[in-house]
Amino acid sequence: MFKKIILAALIVGTAAFAQINAKFGANAAFTFGTTWGENSDKLHNSWGPGFAGGLDAKIAINSSLSFITGLNFEYRNIPSDILKEGFLDLAEKVLRGYGQSMSRSELRESMRNSDAGELLETDFSFSFKYLDIPLMLQYNVNPQFFVEAGAVIGFNLSCDYNISYEGQSASKNLPSDFVKTVEVSAVVGVGYSILPNLDFNLRFDMGLTDMVEAKKTILEFMQEIGGEAEYLVSYLESDYGFKNMRFQAGLTFWFN
């Protein structure tokens, strides 16, 4: 009896889906992004490249409006000068706390001649892997040109930080309790149908939630530097925003 119910449900579901005017396709995109949020500038993150790709489904609502969803894999790279510049920021705050001051160049030179001097020569970056589900509306202004808007729900697969010093490099996985499992982003875009089954689009993705808990991450770095860095904790900001901000240029090929 149970098997008959399952079979009946599959038949009904398949018949219902067949009535939907849907297209299926594959997409690939180049991305370029950084982070934003409260005190995000103090993390000294810069812009880095990435890529995305996956499968899309387009369900027609009427002749001009469609709903876009799918499943995409995304890789993000975010270079950061938090070691080169962020710790100089902290050093400046410490000096001000003691009623002293030094120019940025003097402070840099002093740090270069100290045990922490290697930080100024260290390259650092974050890398993220996400599984994204877009939930978008697409409106065709004319048969070729369209605009898009909606949201993307991202599920974090991994977050690494990468350190390179004097030709040596290493990657380490950020502890899972530092990483936000789910990310929500708002997305807007424009596109053009180059061919009947080939679309080109440009999108802007603005994260509404943090990717990682940045303050915890900074504290993790301090602990790796050594116990003598613990006194710097009180000079940190109360919070640091670490939200995604990314531009995307991509192609979608529709199979039907």
Side-chain angles (χ1 to χ4, degrees), residues 119-133:
L119 293 179
L120 300 177
E121 310 298 329
T122 301
D123 292 320
F124 184 87
S125 66
F126 294 93
S127 59
F128 295 88
K129 295 174 184 175
Y130 274 88
L131 196 63
D132 294 336
I133 299 176

Side-chain angles (χ1 to χ4, degrees), residues 168-224:
Q168 305 269 333
S169 61
S171 295
K172 186 174 180 180
N173 193 254
L174 202 63
S176 59
D177 57 327
F178 291 14
V179 181
K180 301 292 188 179
T181 305
V182 179
E183 176 195 57
V184 180
S185 300
V187 183
V188 294
V190 296
Y192 188 84
S193 295
I194 303 172
L195 298 170
N197 279 20
L198 184 63
D199 292 347
F200 171 75
N201 61 58
L202 294 171
R203 290 176 178 173
F204 176 64
D205 185 317
M206 194 77 163
L208 304 178
T209 57
D210 289 327
M211 293 184 283
V212 301
E213 294 191 33
K215 188 170 183 178
K216 279 187 177 182
T217 302
I218 294 172
L219 294 175
E220 173 82 356
F221 299 156
M222 287 184 171
Q223 289 175 1
E224 292 194 5

Side-chain angles (χ1 to χ4, degrees), residues 48-104:
F51 62 86
L55 300 173
D56 280 341
K58 175 161 58 171
I59 302 168
I61 298 173
N62 57 41
S63 59
S64 299
L65 188 65
S66 298
F67 174 69
I68 306 288
T69 188
L71 191 63
N72 298 310
F73 171 82
E74 183 183 6
Y75 171 81
R76 305 172 188 170
N77 178 259
I78 302 173
S80 179
D81 280 337
I82 188 171
L83 298 182
K84 296 179 180 179
E85 302 294 337
F87 281 94
L88 283 176
D89 292 343
L90 285 176
E92 286 182 330
K93 291 182 73 173
V94 171
L95 285 175
R96 287 197 297 270
Y98 286 98
Q100 303 175 22
S101 65
M102 293 176 66
S103 69
R104 192 80 170 185

Side-chain angles (χ1 to χ4, degrees), residues 12 14 21-22 38 63 105 139 151 155 166-167 186 197-198 204 212 237 246:
V12 172
T14 303
N21 185 8
E38 182 184 4
S63 59
S105 59
Y139 179 76
F155 298 91
E166 292 186 342
N197 279 20
L198 184 63
F204 176 64
V212 301
E237 303 295 335
R246 192 157 295 269

